[in-house]
Amino acid sequence: TRRILSGVQPTGSLHLGNYLGAIMQWVEFQNTGKFFADPSSSGKEDGEEDAADDDGDGGIVVVNENFFCVVDLHAITMPQDPNELEESTLASAALYIAAGIDPEKSRVFVQSHVPAHAELAWLLNCATPMNWLERMIQYKDKAKKAGGGGDSIGVGLFTYPVLMAADILLYQADRVPVGEDQRQHLELARDIVRRFNNEYCRGNSYKARCKRAGLASRPAFTEPEAMIISPGGGGDGGTGGVARVMSLTDGTSKMSKSDPNDNSRINVLDPPDVIREKIKRCKTDSFAGGIEWDNPDRPEATNLLNIYAAVQPHRSREELYEEVKGMKWGDFKPLLADAIVAHLGPIQKRYAEVRADEGYLRRVLNEGANAADEIAQRTLKAAKVAMGFSIPK
Ligand code: TYM
C-alpha cells in the first residue's frame, strides 16, 4: 500500500496557487498513479515497503490510498471568524471534489473530525525541540506580519508544523504533494520521524511493550517525502501544476490568501469577468521583443507563462512558447484569461452542483473521517505504546 496525504487550510477562498501547486497534482496522482513531480527523483521505488507499513503486501501489487484533508485545526492558528469557519470548511471540501477528487477513489475528510490529529500533535510537541520550530520560515514571516510575537499571536502558530507532521504521520503517508512553500515543513516532519523512531522505538523494552499491546515492534512512523512540481512544470511532455505561483501584482512574492489585495490572486471560484479584469490589470514589464520564460529579470513573464502552461496541461511547453513568444502583452493577456476561464469553468460548474447537495457532501466527509479515524487510531496507539503510556484494555 502506498499512502499519500495532503491538505489545504480553509481560510478564505482557494486560489490558483493552491490549485496548481497542490490540488491539481492530487487529482493527477489519483487518476494516473503518478505525480507531475517526477517520482524517479524520490529515490524510493514504487511498492517499496515502508518500515511501518501495516499490511506487509510484499510490494507486488501497489494499492494507492489517498487522503485529502481540510485542515481546519491549522486555520485557527490565525484568527478566524467563528461564523465563517464551517462554511469555508465545507466550501474547501466541495472544491476538492469539484477539482476532480473522486470520493470513490480518495478519502476526503475534515481534520477536526478525526481527534487523533490533535492528540498525536500533543505527543509530538513534547518530543520536538523548541529550536527546530524557531527556525521555521513561515512562522517567522507570519509572526512578523502579526506584529512580532508577544500577545499578538497564539502558541498554536508556533507549533503549527508539529500538527502538520501529525497529519502526515498518522497515515504513514510516504508521499505528500504540496507547493514549494511547504518544503521546510516536510523536512521538519522527516526530522521528527527520525528522532522519534530513534528515541522511542528501539531495544528490548520497546519490543516487550509492543508485544504486551499486541503490536508488531516496528518503528512507529514512516518518513514522508514531499512531492513538489519541478520548475519546468509537469512530467510526460505536458505541463500541469506550478510549484510556486506568484502574485499577479508582484512577480517576486507568492500568490497567497493573506494578501489584502484580491487583485493579487485568481480565486478558483472567481467568475469569468473578474478573472478577465484581474488579468487585464496584472503587472507585466516593459521589455521589448516579446514574452520570455525563465528570464530572472522578468518574474512576471515567467509566472504568467507558467500559469498559461499549467491550465493547458495537454500542451507542451515548446508548443505554447512558439505560440506566444512574439506577442505583446496586450495580445497575450486575453489568451491567458481565456485559458484560465476555460480550465476553471467545469470546476466551477461542478462546485455549484456539489454545494447544492449538502447531504452528499456530509456523507462523503463522514465516510472519509471514519476511514481516516481507523488508520489514525492504529498509529496513535503505536506512538503511545512507544512512549510508554498505559493503553486501556
Ligand atoms: P496552505 O493552505 O497554505 O496551502 C495549501 C497548498 O497550496 C500550496 N500553495 C501554493 N503552491 C504554489 N504556489 C502558491 N502560491 C501556493 N500557495 C499555496 C501549498 O504549498 C499547499 O500545498 N501547512 C499547509 C497545510 C497542511 C498540510 C498538512 C499540507 C496542513 N497539514 C499535511 C500537507 C500535509 C498549508 O498551510 O497549506
Side-chain angles (χ1 to χ4, degrees):
T1 306
R2 188 171 58 176
R3 293 223 182 95
I4 74 159
L5 175 130
S6 198
V8 176
Q9 295 187 60
T11 46
S13 44
L14 270 56
H15 53 67
L16 269 188
N18 302 132
Y19 176 66
L20 298 177
I23 299 172
M24 195 174 181
Q25 205 182 184
W26 308 350
V27 173
E28 177 73 10
F29 183 78
Q30 171 196 265
N31 294 340
T32 66
K34 289 194 204 131
F35 289 106
F36 289 129
D38 177 18
S40 64
S41 66
S42 72
K44 192 183 270 183
E45 294 299 320
D46 284 357
E48 183 179 319
E49 251 193 292
D50 285 303
D53 194 6
D54 48 9
D55 35 23
D57 56 23
I60 296 165
V61 178
V62 179
V63 181
N64 293 319
E65 289 184 355
N66 317 318
F67 291 86
F68 301 115
C69 181
V70 180
V71 292
D72 54 350
L73 298 173
H74 276 97
I76 61 164
T77 57
M78 295 300 264
Q80 297 301 321
D81 181 345
N83 296 313
E84 284 172 12
L85 185 59
E86 181 173 32
E87 165 58 26
S88 319
T89 302
L90 295 177
S92 299
L95 208 52
Y96 290 5
I97 296 168
I101 296 303
D102 176 354
E104 301 286 320
K105 296 183 187 152
S106 302
R107 300 298 188 183
V108 179
F109 68 102
V110 176
Q111 189 184 28
S112 67
H113 294 181
V114 181
H117 288 251
E119 205 176 343
L120 181 62
W122 176 254
L123 303 187
L124 297 179
N125 268 331
C126 297
T128 305
M130 278 285 265
N131 63 0
W132 287 9
L133 295 178
E134 279 160 357
R135 276 185 227 135
M136 293 290 114
I137 297 162
Q138 273 200 3
Y139 166 72
K140 287 196 260 183
D141 281 356
K142 285 191 185 172
K144 200 160 89 192
K145 280 193 195 128
D151 60 8
S152 62
I153 56 164
V155 177
L157 187 65
F158 186 68
T159 67
Y160 171 120
V162 178
L163 177 60
M164 177 162 163
D167 299 341
I168 298 165
L169 305 190
L170 277 175
Y171 302 94
Q172 311 290 351
D174 34 33
R175 301 206 173 147
V176 183
V178 286
E180 174 66 40
D181 60 347
Q182 298 301 315
R183 192 185 285 281
Q184 199 190 25
H185 290 158
L186 258 297
E187 280 307 315
L188 182 87
R190 292 162 66 88
D191 289 343
I192 290 176
V193 170
R194 282 196 284 266
R195 188 183 161 100
F196 189 98
N197 287 346
N198 201 25
E199 186 146 330
Y200 294 107
C201 308
R202 289 198 314 181
N204 289 336
S205 60
Y206 175 62
K207 281 193 189 138
R209 286 202 301 285
C210 287
K211 199 168 168 205
R212 279 202 302 280
L215 296 177
S217 60
R218 49 191 156 208
F221 302 127
T222 303
E223 232 179 88
E225 184 157 9
M227 297 307 290
I228 298 170
I229 293 161
S230 57
D236 295 340
T239 47
V242 188
R244 207 169 148 74
V245 179
M246 309 311 279
S247 156
L248 295 182
T249 47
D250 171 9
T252 61
S253 62
K254 74 168 184 183
M255 185 176 284
S256 101
K257 291 173 200 156
S258 58
D259 191 322
N261 180 4
D262 194 59
N263 284 327
S264 70
R265 62 185 158 261
I266 304 263
N267 302 305
V268 178
L269 297 178
D270 278 343
D273 54 324
V274 173
I275 294 175
R276 292 207 166 85
E277 191 58 28
K278 284 178 175 175
I279 293 295
K280 201 166 167 185
R281 297 167 63 170
C282 78
K283 185 169 175 211
T284 53
D285 55 34
S286 48
F287 279 69
I291 300 173
E292 272 180 294
W293 222 322
D294 298 332
N295 177 343
D297 296 326
R298 304 185 68 183
E300 283 81 15
T302 297
N303 187 43
L304 296 177
L305 276 171
N306 279 343
I307 294 174
Y308 188 61
V311 295
Q312 304 178 83
H314 51 287
R315 300 179 68 191
S316 73
R317 264 168 81 93
E318 292 70 31
E319 180 193 343
L320 292 168
Y321 193 52
E322 278 307 310
E323 179 194 22
V324 304
K325 68 179 182 195
M327 288 186 180
K328 298 198 169 39
W329 286 119
D331 303 322
F332 174 64
K333 279 184 164 188
L335 274 190
L336 172 61
D338 283 346
I340 298 172
V341 167
H343 188 100
L344 295 183
I347 297 177
Q348 297 180 349
K349 185 163 169 273
R350 174 103 179 100
Y351 175 82
E353 288 162 12
V354 177
R355 281 321 304 270
D357 188 352
E358 187 161 327
Y360 165 74
L361 185 57
R362 297 269 180 191
R363 264 196 315 282
V364 166
L365 293 178
N366 285 343
E367 281 167 19
N370 288 340
D373 191 63
E374 201 182 311
I375 296 167
Q377 284 301 335
R378 266 186 265 163
T379 306
L380 184 62
K381 180 175 174 189
K384 284 182 163 176
V385 167
M387 292 182 101
F389 283 92
S390 111
I391 306 294
K393 299 236 155 130

